[in-house]
Amino acid sequence: MKKLLNTLFITTPDIYLSLKGENVVITHENQQLGRFPLHNFEAICTFGYAGASPKLMYACAEKNINLTFLSRSGRFLARVVGESKGNVILRKTQYRLSENEVESAKIARNFIFAKIANQKWILERMARDYPLRIDVPMFKQVSSELTTAMKAILVTEDLERLRGLEGQAATAYFKLFDQMILQQKDIFYFRNRNRRPPTDNVNALLSLAYTLLASDVTSALETVGLDAYVGYLHRDRPGRASLALDVMEELRGVMADRFVLKMINKKMMQSTDFVQKENGAVLLTDDGRRKFIKAWQERKQESLTHPYLNEKINWGLVPHAQAILLARYLRGDIEEYPPFLWK
């Protein structure tokens, strides 16, 4: 259990929720684990469904408290929705701002600023931890280029200009990605980012990590009542979760890229985990995919101190914290959306 930003997160699986008086009661196998006043929360989010009493669902609907059910892996399942109240206003604000290029750029530049800042941090950490195994002057040069891009992003109010700066920064960052691969260089190497389909082992892992991250962010946005398909940097396209792609930008480096590098550098993935098709596509085997996803779920249970909230949470709750902060910005509760800036 974790209370964060007036949201109660139930991360222990097979928990049953009920209402006693004005309190949420949390039980596991008939043993009471906790009891909290319902009026303290604006949302309850459960991972690993066991159940909730109709009385609690009724109270949540009546008080406009989001009660959301996610699978144990974080996939969105359902949300208890009562009479249309707050979510309508929130979504109308989301849609209205998405139609305004300047307002869209104001939000989008925070996503991109954080993305590049976190990539810069990854490069700086590599230069500090492995000075004898990488080209440190080159890492310092690219780090400086990213700083220049970050300064330009802060004053950009044009979405195309923003996309251009993001693209330049990504090219510079990925130019060094191969050097960050320290083990098994004969089977894990990075020449450029390719996808649909990926044509080497590293790109196959990156694509799967980004897919898992996008799923987690989509669930988090649905949990707080936002439309994951209406974004600011990524514009509307049928079937594309544009807002999820926006929010995950700031998390790509610290959650996905670092995880892929860890799986390679700690030799948790081997050549037998991949298969190459006749068209050149490289895919993970079933066993390889299971191994990767299992490690991804375990990684989400590791804790960190959220740099803005200054609270200790699991990595798996980071997308949810950012979704709540974005919703609060759209409601006007805070002056600016605080992106995830990892230290």
Side-chain angles (χ1 to χ4, degrees):
M1 290 172 286
K2 176 68 181 177
K3 290 189 288 182
L4 181 69
L5 291 167
N6 294 336
T7 298
L8 176 63
F9 290 97
I10 308 295
T11 53
T12 304
D14 301 326
I15 290 293
Y16 188 77
L17 302 172
S18 60
L19 187 69
K20 201 161 191 176
E22 294 297 319
N23 296 303
V24 185
V25 178
I26 300 160
T27 57
H28 181 250
E29 295 180 349
N30 297 321
Q31 181 182 357
Q32 182 173 315
L33 301 183
R35 170 191 289 247
F36 301 97
L38 183 62
H39 65 79
N40 281 354
F41 302 113
E42 61 184 44
I44 300 172
C45 181
T46 74
F47 291 79
Y49 175 76
S53 70
K55 188 176 179 181
L56 175 64
M57 288 191 274
Y58 178 88
C60 287
E62 187 179 42
K63 298 177 187 299
N64 199 29
I65 297 171
N66 273 335
L67 173 57
T68 309
F69 300 99
L70 305 178
S71 71
R72 195 171 298 187
S73 64
R75 183 170 58 85
F76 178 81
L77 297 175
R79 182 174 64 240
V80 173
V81 179
E83 183 182 356
S84 296
K85 293 178 185 173
N87 283 349
V88 169
I89 296 172
L90 175 65
R91 289 206 178 199
K92 286 182 74 171
T93 303
Q94 178 190 355
Y95 298 150
R96 178 171 52 79
L97 295 185
S98 76
E99 296 295 327
N100 184 311
E101 287 261 336
V102 174
E103 291 294 335
S104 291
K106 183 179 176 182
I107 301 171
R109 70 188 180 199
N110 281 12
F111 300 140
I112 298 306
F113 179 88
K115 174 183 182 178
I116 298 174
N118 290 332
Q119 290 174 334
K120 175 182 168 67
W121 172 84
I122 292 171
L123 300 184
E124 291 288 345
R125 281 284 295 263
M126 288 295 298
R128 184 194 70 187
D129 295 343
Y130 303 101
L132 301 180
R133 303 184 67 176
I134 63 171
D135 187 340
V136 173
M138 186 177 290
F139 272 65
K140 291 294 183 184
Q141 179 187 330
V142 172
S143 176
S144 176
E145 292 173 15
L146 296 187
T147 299
T148 301
M150 289 160 61
K151 290 177 181 175
I153 284 167
L154 285 178
V155 295
T156 299
E157 295 186 342
D158 180 85
L159 282 175
E160 279 306 310
R161 167 74 173 151
L162 196 56
R163 294 188 186 101
L165 290 168
E166 187 275 331
Q168 292 171 21
T171 300
Y173 166 76
F174 276 116
K175 188 168 65 178
L176 301 179
F177 203 82
D178 188 61
Q179 288 198 52
M180 292 191 272
I181 298 171
L182 305 175
Q183 301 287 343
Q184 308 182 87
K185 300 284 285 186
D186 54 331
I187 55 174
F188 291 104
Y189 49 83
F190 184 87
R191 301 290 178 262
N192 54 51
R193 180 78 182 108
N194 58 67
R195 53 184 182 163
R196 299 175 186 171
T199 57
D200 58 65
N201 296 346
V202 176
N203 274 292
L205 294 179
L206 286 173
S207 291
L208 180 54
Y210 293 154
T211 298
L212 294 172
L213 180 58
S215 174
D216 290 343
V217 175
T218 299
S219 294
L221 294 170
E222 293 284 353
T223 298
V224 300
L226 287 167
D227 188 335
Y229 289 81
V230 177
Y232 298 106
L233 181 67
H234 295 83
R235 309 309 286 175
D236 297 350
R237 182 187 297 174
R240 183 170 75 175
S242 295
L243 186 60
L245 295 178
D246 284 356
V247 175
M248 72 178 277
E249 292 288 5
E250 59 192 277
L251 304 177
R252 281 180 187 268
V254 289
M255 289 191 71
D257 296 354
R258 289 184 68 230
F259 176 74
V260 168
L261 289 170
K262 174 186 172 183
M263 295 294 288
I264 296 171
N265 290 336
K266 288 188 175 295
K267 300 183 178 180
M268 298 167 72
M269 303 298 296
Q270 289 83 37
S271 60
T272 52
D273 293 319
F274 301 88
V275 60
Q276 186 162 27
K277 300 292 186 182
E278 290 182 357
N279 64 354
V282 174
L283 307 175
L284 278 95
T285 62
D286 290 343
D287 286 344
R289 190 180 305 104
R290 276 194 289 270
K291 184 195 305 183
F292 190 87
I293 293 174
K294 181 174 182 290
W296 176 265
Q297 299 303 337
E298 290 171 350
R299 168 63 173 161
K300 287 177 12 182
Q301 301 305 313
E302 297 175 9
S303 62
L304 75 155
T305 299
H306 191 285
Y308 176 79
L309 302 173
N310 198 29
E311 282 196 49
K312 201 165 188 177
I313 63 174
N314 293 341
W315 274 101
L317 293 186
V318 170
H320 293 266
Q322 296 310 119
I324 294 171
L325 290 170
L326 179 58
R328 290 198 166 193
Y329 167 71
L330 295 176
R331 288 195 183 100
D333 296 340
I334 51 180
E335 290 186 358
E336 190 165 4
Y337 168 68
F340 184 82
L341 292 167
W342 180 235
K343 299 175 183 175

